[in-house]
């Protein structure tokens, strides 16, 4: 019994932090790049707005991450905000939502 608990504890300690979201550090770097390059082309390189509204942590404070992930995946019909579902998984959209809410690149 105690042995099993120790093995489990050891395995958990070895798991990289990123495993919590299931997104590898490499993919996180790609997503970060995408936010600046692709989202930034409309929302501004510092997310303070352009064609699209500001998507800074302050501007998004009223939205919870799941709502934001849904907007990112499906876009906002009738506006220039496109759906990103072809490029992102739900976990990745949620990662971007969390990232925007604690965005440090501004
Ligand atoms: C082609 C331009 C364009 C691109 C590229 C784009 N957006 Fe948007 N986005 C918009 C516009 C325009 C709106 C505002 C729509 C409206 O009038 O409500 C918007 C709205 C949003 C909103 C809702 C903001 C709010 O206050 O409700 C979020 C969140 C968002 N975009 C995130 C993203 C993310 C993340 C990306 C990159 C994966 C992205 N957008 C890429 C144009 C774009």
């Amino acid at each position: 019994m105690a042995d099993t608990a120790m093995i489990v504890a050891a395995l958990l300690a070895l798991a990289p932090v990123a495993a919590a979201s299931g997104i590898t550090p490499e993919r996180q770097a790609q997503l970060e790049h995408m936010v600046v390059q692709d989202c930034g082309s409309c929302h501004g390189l510092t997310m303070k707005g352009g064609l699209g509204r500001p998507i800074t942590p302050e501007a998004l404070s009223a939205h919870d991450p799941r709502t934001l992930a849904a907007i990112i995946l499906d876009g906002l019909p009738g506006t220039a905000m496109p759906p990103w579902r072809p490029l992102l998984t739900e976990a990745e959209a949620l990662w971007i939502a969390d990232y925007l809410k604690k965005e440090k690149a501004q």
Side-chain angles (χ1 to χ4, degrees):
M1 284 300 260
D3 286 353
T4 311
M6 275 179 62
I7 292 169
V8 169
L11 286 176
L12 286 177
L14 284 174
V17 179
S21 60
I23 298 171
T24 62
E26 290 77 18
R27 183 60 179 154
Q28 291 187 29
Q30 287 173 353
L31 293 176
E32 225 173 313
H33 185 77
M34 177 176 169
V35 168
V36 175
Q37 297 302 316
D38 296 308
C39 315
S41 67
C42 284
H43 291 281
L45 288 179
T46 55
M47 308 302 139
K48 291 192 179 123
L51 170 64
R53 318 168 172 184
I55 48 173
T56 55
E58 300 76 52
L60 299 179
S61 60
H63 291 304
D64 70 89
R66 295 211 162 267
T67 311
L68 293 176
I71 293 175
I72 295 167
L73 286 171
D74 297 320
L76 289 166
T79 77
M81 174 62 187
W84 296 88
R85 203 178 277 282
L87 298 177
L88 298 171
T89 64
E90 299 200 355
E92 288 167 353
L94 200 53
W95 185 90
I96 292 180
D98 282 333
Y99 176 80
L100 291 174
K101 284 182 78 74
K102 52 174 184 262
E103 162 65 4
K104 24 138 176 72
Q106 49 188 313

